[in-house]
Amino acid sequence: MTSAKPTREGSAHKRAAILGAARGLFLADGFDRTSVDAIALRAGVSKRTLYDYFGDKQALLVAVVDHAADSLMAAIRRTMAETLTEVHDLHAALLDFSLRIATETFGSVDYLALMRLVTNESVHLPQLRDSWMTNAPEEAIAARLAEFGRQGALEVPNPRVAADHLVALTFLLAINSLGSTISADDPRLRSILDEGVRAFLRAYAPRPRAAL
């Protein structure tokens, strides 16, 4: 089924209200159980306005996922700028970065619910997963690890694979181990992340150069 195209851009305020209402209802009730009437009511707009702005419910779901992916990438880039720039202690920097991502972004119930929504609805709308993967956090992390490689702090022949390893060893492992209610004060979290960062650095530490 092909989603209808929106017929107008409309005001930023109304678009934001519709996206926010749709996201809240999709995550709480699921895509199939959420009606256009309910979204319009929560957003404070008419159903006709919703259709004019987004076309149909499927197109609105794609817009919700696109917006969430953009927000996630902005958060990832902001955290990287604050923790992985002008690094003097790579272990401490990666630990700080992983801790903040685990508790402030990936560890949120809202984020995990969004991931489940994308996974469930991608069966019917493959473009959801394509959109999400295009904005995958690993892409931004890979670019930063590649820079560390150019500086000689790491040896990363394949930055994207290295990013996948870092994510798997740190905040994804923490979420799988501790669940969605991750707290920065939980000593188990810091232990998981610390061990993960150490394992990552052992794998990607620069190799000694053979003497000529």
Side-chain angles (χ1 to χ4, degrees):
M1 178 176 179
T2 301
S3 296
K5 294 181 179 179
T7 57
R8 63 174 177 171
E9 287 298 321
S11 73
H13 174 74
K14 285 185 178 180
R15 286 181 63 82
I18 295 170
L19 284 171
R23 174 171 172 150
L25 288 170
F26 287 155
L27 296 187
D29 301 331
F31 178 74
D32 289 335
R33 291 189 298 274
T34 298
S35 69
V36 172
D37 289 298
I39 297 170
L41 180 63
R42 177 175 286 198
V45 301
S46 69
K47 188 162 67 170
R48 174 59 184 272
T49 297
L50 187 151
Y51 283 130
D52 282 348
Y53 278 49
F54 291 98
D56 62 14
K57 195 171 76 165
Q58 286 187 336
L60 179 54
L61 175 60
V62 173
V64 165
V65 171
D66 283 344
H67 185 265
D70 289 343
S71 297
L72 174 63
M73 285 303 299
I76 294 286
R77 293 185 186 282
R78 182 171 59 252
T79 304
M80 284 197 301
E82 294 171 357
T83 59
L84 299 180
T85 303
E86 297 182 3
V87 172
H88 302 291
D89 183 336
L90 189 53
H91 174 269
L94 290 174
L95 180 58
D96 186 24
F97 170 72
S98 300
L99 180 64
R100 288 184 53 178
I101 295 299
T103 55
E104 298 173 12
T105 305
F106 276 39
S108 71
V109 174
D110 186 67
Y111 172 79
L112 295 177
L114 184 65
M115 285 294 295
R116 286 194 295 271
L117 180 67
V118 170
T119 299
N120 293 338
E121 298 305 325
S122 290
V123 175
H124 312 292
L125 287 172
Q127 61 264 45
L128 284 182
R129 183 169 293 277
D130 293 341
S131 173
W132 191 261
M133 293 307 295
T134 298
N135 292 283
E138 290 85 353
E139 292 294 342
I141 296 171
R144 193 70 192 93
L145 295 180
E147 180 60 28
F148 286 134
R150 287 189 289 271
Q151 295 170 0
L154 294 174
E155 189 167 304
V156 281
N158 189 325
R160 177 52 199 264
V161 171
D164 289 339
H165 289 163
L166 178 62
V167 170
L169 288 167
T170 55
F171 31 90
L172 284 189
L173 178 58
I175 290 171
N176 290 335
S177 300
L178 304 178
S180 61
T181 55
I182 293 179
S183 169
D185 299 324
D186 188 336
R188 296 174 300 170
L189 173 60
R190 182 170 287 275
S191 176
I192 290 170
L193 297 179
D194 181 68
E195 287 301 318
V197 169
R198 290 182 186 280
F200 174 81
L201 291 177
R202 284 196 296 270
Y204 288 96
R207 302 294 190 268
R209 301 298 180 184
L212 296 177

